[in-house]
Amino acid sequence: MDPKQLLSCIDFRYITDALTEEEAYEILVNSLLGKKEREEQMLTHGYPAYTTSCAWLGYSDQQLKQLCTKALKDGWTRFKVKVGTDLQDDIHRCRLIREMIGPDNILMLDANQRWEVKEAIEWVTKLAEFKPLWIEEPTSPDDILGHAAISKALAPLGIGVATGEQCHNKVIFKQLLQAKALSYLQIDSCRLGSVNENLAVLLMAKKFQIPVCPHAGGVGLCELVQHLILFDYIAISGSLENRMCEYVDHLHEHFKYPVIIRKACYMPPQDAGYSTEMKEDSTRKYQFPQGEVWQKLLSGHKIYLH
């Protein structure tokens, strides 16, 4: 699509105080320069990804070491650690991961909305020695001013705030950007309804010079969001600085066109469509309540009740 066609896909209602149609058009026109080269770059090298699979809460030290060792061997350089349940355990796990990945690889933290605002600032300050790039979802995803306060407090430590996977429309993203409440914007291809709404957010992020680092994982989220982030780089942002897309090695076997990861990068999909068509066998087995998987679960539940 050319810039005018793309603009026709976007509803600018309620966001013109942050991004006008004219500004969006200028961004798209300016991004035409080098577009073909960026497309070739993506086809050759792919879009940089980070892994969340190494450091879930509840993993033993041995599991963390094994998963990190394998990830490093496979070429991963960006690692996310779940935090927020126990401070001493977080310090222990962050130290272990940082020692495993070394000083030059990237470490991020994710609290999954765990803290109060003041608590988030105090907790993350105590993890600053491990040089995290960001703290993700430190508090309620609806608390824009809370995120702004956390962002302001942590900026001197060189730690950014990342959020967005729970944001359900462009207006919330507009306010997060206007309030300087985030340093990394995390769209979610399902939470934010439609490609069209995502286009508006990608363009606002470009205007505010905030890198987009999408949320993924789950059932088909990686398959979906790869299209959006490739488009962002090729046609809007034109930058890979501090940009990466989440990857979780989970449930891809149920899709006809699963994501392809090579050297810790998303390789552009070559098949038509949005990459989320599921295999007939999987949909049959998991259909509720007749599917084989549910039948086993339900029969076990009945036995337990008796």
Side-chain angles (χ1 to χ4, degrees):
M1 288 184 168
D2 63 36
K4 286 190 176 178
Q5 288 174 309
L6 284 166
L7 287 183
S8 73
C9 298
I10 301 168
D11 180 3
F12 284 88
R13 188 172 41 175
Y14 308 134
I15 63 169
T16 55
D17 54 325
L19 178 75
T20 65
E21 194 168 338
E22 293 74 25
E23 289 171 325
Y25 179 74
E26 186 178 352
I27 288 170
L28 290 167
V29 169
N30 290 341
S31 296
L32 292 173
L33 183 66
K35 182 178 176 181
K36 187 64 182 173
E37 290 78 6
R38 291 192 295 275
E39 185 176 347
E40 290 299 325
Q41 180 192 0
M42 290 295 100
L43 288 167
T44 304
H45 301 290
Y47 195 92
Y50 72 85
T51 178
T52 306
S53 300
C54 294
W56 293 97
L57 289 170
Y59 281 4
S60 67
D61 287 3
Q62 185 180 359
Q63 280 178 296
L64 292 174
K65 289 176 182 178
Q66 286 176 343
L67 290 166
C68 268
T69 299
K70 185 180 184 304
L72 288 163
K73 189 178 178 182
D74 291 341
W76 292 94
T77 59
R78 304 169 182 90
F79 299 80
K80 191 161 80 179
V81 180
K82 298 287 185 176
V83 296
T85 302
D86 179 271
L87 178 59
Q88 292 310 311
D89 184 55
D90 287 349
I91 291 170
H92 172 74
R93 291 163 61 256
C94 286
R95 179 172 288 117
L96 190 153
I97 297 291
R98 178 51 84 190
E99 287 173 357
M100 289 287 297
I101 69 175
D104 298 325
N105 286 327
I106 296 173
L107 178 73
M108 295 88 75
L109 307 176
D110 185 358
N112 288 108
Q113 313 164 27
R114 187 82 187 187
W115 302 309
E116 300 293 318
V117 172
K118 185 180 177 185
E119 183 184 21
I121 295 166
E122 292 172 351
W123 198 300
V124 177
T125 298
K126 290 169 183 171
L127 299 176
E129 63 177 291
F130 307 110
K131 305 294 182 187
L133 180 67
W134 75 51
I135 176 62
E136 183 174 333
E137 287 199 316
T139 192
S140 165
D142 299 326
D143 189 355
I144 293 162
L145 297 182
H147 275 84
I150 296 166
S151 187
K152 184 178 180 180
L154 296 179
L157 299 174
I159 303 171
V161 167
T163 196
E165 70 179 81
Q166 300 290 341
C167 291
H168 51 279
N169 64 50
K170 64 193 179 214
V171 177
I172 302 297
F173 274 112
K174 177 190 79 167
Q175 294 179 350
L176 284 164
L177 290 164
Q178 289 173 325
K180 298 180 180 177
L182 45 68
S183 306
Y184 301 92
L185 187 150
Q186 297 176 309
I187 56 169
D188 180 287
S189 50
C190 292
R191 182 77 63 181
L192 196 61
S194 80
V195 173
N196 308 61
E197 193 92 349
N198 273 293
L199 291 176
V201 174
L202 293 175
L203 284 161
M204 284 193 288
K206 169 65 176 178
K207 181 188 172 181
F208 283 82
Q209 293 297 298
I210 295 295
V212 177
C213 300
H215 170 251
V219 186
L221 293 183
C222 297
E223 279 72 16
L224 283 162
V225 85
Q226 62 179 335
H227 296 270
L228 299 173
I229 198 59
L230 285 161
F231 174 80
D232 179 57
Y233 175 61
I234 293 167
I236 297 180
S237 75
S239 171
L240 291 178
E241 185 178 355
N242 277 339
R243 295 165 191 267
M244 63 199 91
C245 186
E246 185 171 22
Y247 176 71
V248 179
D249 187 9
H250 187 52
L251 301 173
H252 302 289
E253 67 273 15
H254 296 296
F255 292 88
K256 288 187 176 180
Y257 311 105
V259 291
I260 298 169
I261 298 289
R262 194 170 73 205
K263 295 181 180 177
C265 289
Y266 278 88
M267 300 309 296
Q270 300 299 301
D271 299 291
Y274 213 2
S275 305
T276 47
E277 186 178 354
M278 298 188 80
K279 294 176 180 176
E280 288 86 354
D281 186 54
S282 292
T283 54
R284 186 171 59 252
K285 284 182 179 177
Y286 285 86
Q287 186 177 10
F288 180 83
Q290 303 96 331
E292 178 187 320
V293 173
W294 282 105
Q295 284 295 307
K296 286 180 180 177
L297 288 168
L298 292 169
S299 63
H301 185 58
K302 287 172 186 171
I303 291 166
Y304 177 74
L305 287 173
H306 287 307

